[in-house]
Amino acid sequence: MATKRQTEITKALRNLTPMIPFNEAEDVKRLAAQPHMRSLSAPVSVWLSLVAHIRHVHTDYDELMDDGYDRDAARHFVMDDINAVLERWQATRLLDGAETDASLPDPVEKDDRDANRLDRSTVRGAGRGRSRRT
């Protein structure tokens, strides 16, 4: 039986991206349900998790970071790719470039101060068997 929080996350994700594939939805819901995301409302947690999932699984963001780009530059360069995936999943919202609030938790990026966050290799593994540019 799902908890109230899990039900809210599922509903928020379905409202935000009605055509998200099931396996992708499960990955996003796992990210949104992490303990460090509990202080956020379900819709905010889902949005941050959805964007982070797409960023790490469907774009070259990690490679850009590995090549020495700073976070803001790497995010700028992959914004169109993220929006393309959001459009394919019929999202009701797209990135506009103004969503760079560093005070919000990132569901994916590793923070040494928070052992509960996933490391990027874990998220990359979630996209097994799919082209990065689907």
Side-chain angles (χ1 to χ4, degrees):
M1 179 168 207
T3 66
K4 181 180 177 189
R5 175 77 174 175
Q6 290 168 329
T7 302
E8 290 171 350
I9 287 171
T10 298
K11 183 178 177 183
L13 182 59
R14 187 54 56 199
N15 288 336
L16 181 61
T17 53
M19 298 304 293
I20 187 172
F22 178 80
N23 61 326
E24 306 266 9
E26 292 302 305
D27 292 343
V28 172
K29 288 191 292 188
R30 266 191 296 282
L31 290 173
Q34 293 180 92
H36 71 278
M37 300 294 281
R38 284 194 180 278
S39 63
L40 304 172
S41 69
V44 170
S45 178
V46 165
W47 174 248
L48 293 174
S49 298
L50 177 67
V51 171
H53 170 77
I54 295 169
R55 181 185 310 122
H56 291 278
V57 175
H58 293 277
T59 74
D60 295 328
Y61 176 79
D62 292 318
E63 288 80 6
L64 292 169
M65 294 294 290
D66 291 343
D67 288 345
Y69 286 87
D70 68 33
R71 183 177 115 161
D72 291 337
R75 287 182 178 198
H76 171 76
F77 287 125
V78 301
M79 186 169 53
D80 289 340
D81 295 333
I82 292 170
N83 281 334
V85 174
L86 289 169
E87 287 174 352
R88 201 166 51 246
W89 294 346
Q90 297 181 5
T92 58
R93 176 180 178 184
L94 298 176
L95 280 177
D96 64 8
E99 295 148 327
T100 57
D101 188 347
S103 68
L104 294 174
D106 187 310
V108 175
E109 289 186 355
K110 182 84 169 144
D111 182 346
D112 293 331
R113 296 168 298 172
D114 186 350
N116 291 323
R117 294 188 188 198
L118 296 177
D119 105 33
R120 288 184 283 178
S121 62
T122 303
V123 175
R124 277 190 220 135
R128 299 185 288 281
R130 274 194 321 268
S131 167
R132 293 183 61 96
R133 298 276 189 178
T134 57

